[in-house]
Amino acid sequence: MASKKLRKVVFPVAGLGTRFLPATKVIPKEMLPVVDKPVIQYAVEEAIEAGIEHFIFVTGRGKGAIEDHFDLAYELEATLKARGKTAEFEMLKADRPAAGTASFVRQQEPLGLGHAVWCARDIVGDEPFALALPDMLIHGKPGCFAQMVEAYEKHGGNIVAVEEVPHEHVNRYGVVALGESYNEATHRITGMVEKPKVEDAPSDLIISGRYILQPEIFAKLAQQKPGAGGEIQLTDSMIALCAEQDFFAYRFTGTTYDCGDKIGYLTANVVLALDRPDIEPKFRPILEKLAKR
């Protein structure tokens, strides 16, 4: 049976951003810029590239700037048109989702990623959906979601993006155990564990912040008891669903930058700036000069 078309993506954006205080006291961490675009916009563009049509943001108090960013900014756009700044106007217009394709729902309490996903259940409905953790900026072409959608259309089920980390770091992440391999990128998942002890980890492959999930995950989340940190862990519910449905690990091409971490965020700014032909020629000599200090 053909896989049901993937139309929707969920972005959990209710986090407090405590690792970036005081910058995130009044500015959502997802709105911090990488070069000249907010972190969240990179994730949205990745979803658009993959053909996804509906964008669901699970927000919290103080996150109104995200909603405003993806809305019409009438005064700004009118001013740009009046001043003949056509390129800037067209850029803003292109970045704006079509009317009715962005939805926002509140997660009133910080009860974990699983709870944030569960809050989107009524908007997602009875269909598969993508899930992106915006802090994890994945840089590469084609985008991670575009690669995953190709695997989903071939295999169906649930797809989890994975990447390899040094073995001594596996205790920081959700880790997968692999079974049958279908090609170099796609492997059946036989088990998952959240932040295992280094000696107990089933592999060096970690879950990378991109998922394609079937709607049955919501029933598992509704029954899920708090796990690590007293939060509703998405991995725990995926483990339960894995006993009933196919789960596949997808080893994507691209590089992940954790923009919820200061070093990852700074690195992303440098890498993406060097990838810009309008910035790189002037920026690279500055970096080289600084490196000689």
Side-chain angles (χ1 to χ4, degrees):
M1 184 173 64
S3 301
K4 200 169 184 179
K5 179 175 170 56
L6 188 72
R7 301 190 311 114
K8 297 178 180 179
V9 60
V10 174
F11 301 105
V13 292
L16 297 175
T18 53
R19 288 186 288 176
F20 273 89
L21 287 170
T24 50
K25 181 178 179 181
V26 295
I27 299 172
K29 64 175 181 174
E30 297 82 9
M31 290 301 296
L32 295 177
V34 173
V35 186
D36 54 5
K37 290 191 290 192
V39 171
I40 182 62
Q41 188 170 327
Y42 289 93
V44 170
E45 290 176 355
E46 182 186 325
I48 291 172
E49 179 196 8
I52 294 171
E53 306 165 356
H54 193 136
F55 314 98
I56 303 165
F57 301 85
V58 182
T59 71
R61 287 180 295 279
K63 297 283 185 166
I66 298 174
E67 191 167 351
D68 290 342
H69 178 73
F70 292 107
D71 196 2
L72 173 72
Y74 174 77
E75 296 86 351
L76 174 60
E77 295 186 18
T79 300
L80 291 174
K81 288 181 70 175
R83 295 179 179 178
K85 294 185 178 292
T86 305
E88 291 85 349
F89 170 78
E90 292 297 333
M91 176 186 65
L92 291 181
K93 184 179 178 181
D95 290 341
R96 188 171 69 241
T101 64
S103 300
F104 299 83
V105 61
R106 284 283 186 99
Q107 181 189 20
Q108 286 90 349
E109 299 177 84
L111 297 179
L113 174 59
H115 181 260
V117 173
W118 181 77
C119 288
R121 65 197 183 282
D122 286 342
I123 303 176
V124 172
D126 187 26
E127 57 183 291
F129 64 100
L131 170 65
L133 308 190
D135 282 356
M136 309 306 285
L137 194 162
I138 300 180
H139 182 52
K141 290 290 182 182
C144 183
F145 269 144
Q147 298 174 54
M148 292 175 69
V149 166
E150 184 176 349
Y152 170 72
E153 290 174 345
K154 184 174 182 179
H155 298 284
N158 303 268
I159 312 283
V160 180
V162 299
E163 60 184 307
E164 190 170 356
V165 299
H167 187 68
E168 60 270 22
H169 295 166
V170 292
N171 59 340
R172 306 175 186 175
Y173 306 98
V175 181
V176 299
L178 301 185
E180 181 182 3
S181 295
Y182 298 91
N183 52 49
E184 290 186 3
T186 310
H187 313 265
R188 185 175 295 275
I189 291 177
T190 58
M192 290 173 271
V193 58
E194 184 70 23
K195 298 181 179 178
K197 293 181 180 179
V198 171
E199 59 271 22
D200 296 335
S203 74
D204 294 338
L205 292 173
I206 65 162
I207 299 171
S208 302
R210 298 292 187 274
Y211 313 75
I212 296 174
L213 297 171
Q214 296 298 321
E216 288 78 13
I217 193 69
F218 293 119
K220 302 300 181 185
L221 288 168
Q223 301 166 5
Q224 189 64 55
K225 295 181 180 179
E231 297 181 337
I232 304 298
Q233 297 291 342
L234 177 63
T235 303
D236 292 340
S237 290
M238 290 198 301
I239 291 170
L241 187 58
C242 190
E244 303 170 7
Q245 292 186 353
D246 290 334
F247 268 77
F248 302 96
Y250 187 84
R251 301 183 69 161
F252 61 92
T253 59
T255 305
T256 303
Y257 301 99
D258 182 359
C259 290
D261 170 80
K262 293 183 180 70
I263 298 302
Y265 174 74
L266 292 170
T267 304
N269 272 277
V270 172
V271 171
L272 270 69
L274 291 175
D275 205 39
R276 289 270 297 268
D278 59 327
I279 296 175
E280 187 271 342
K282 293 181 179 179
F283 187 46
R284 186 178 293 277
I286 295 171
L287 288 177
E288 292 172 348
K289 185 176 180 180
L290 290 172
K292 294 177 181 178
R293 280 188 177 181

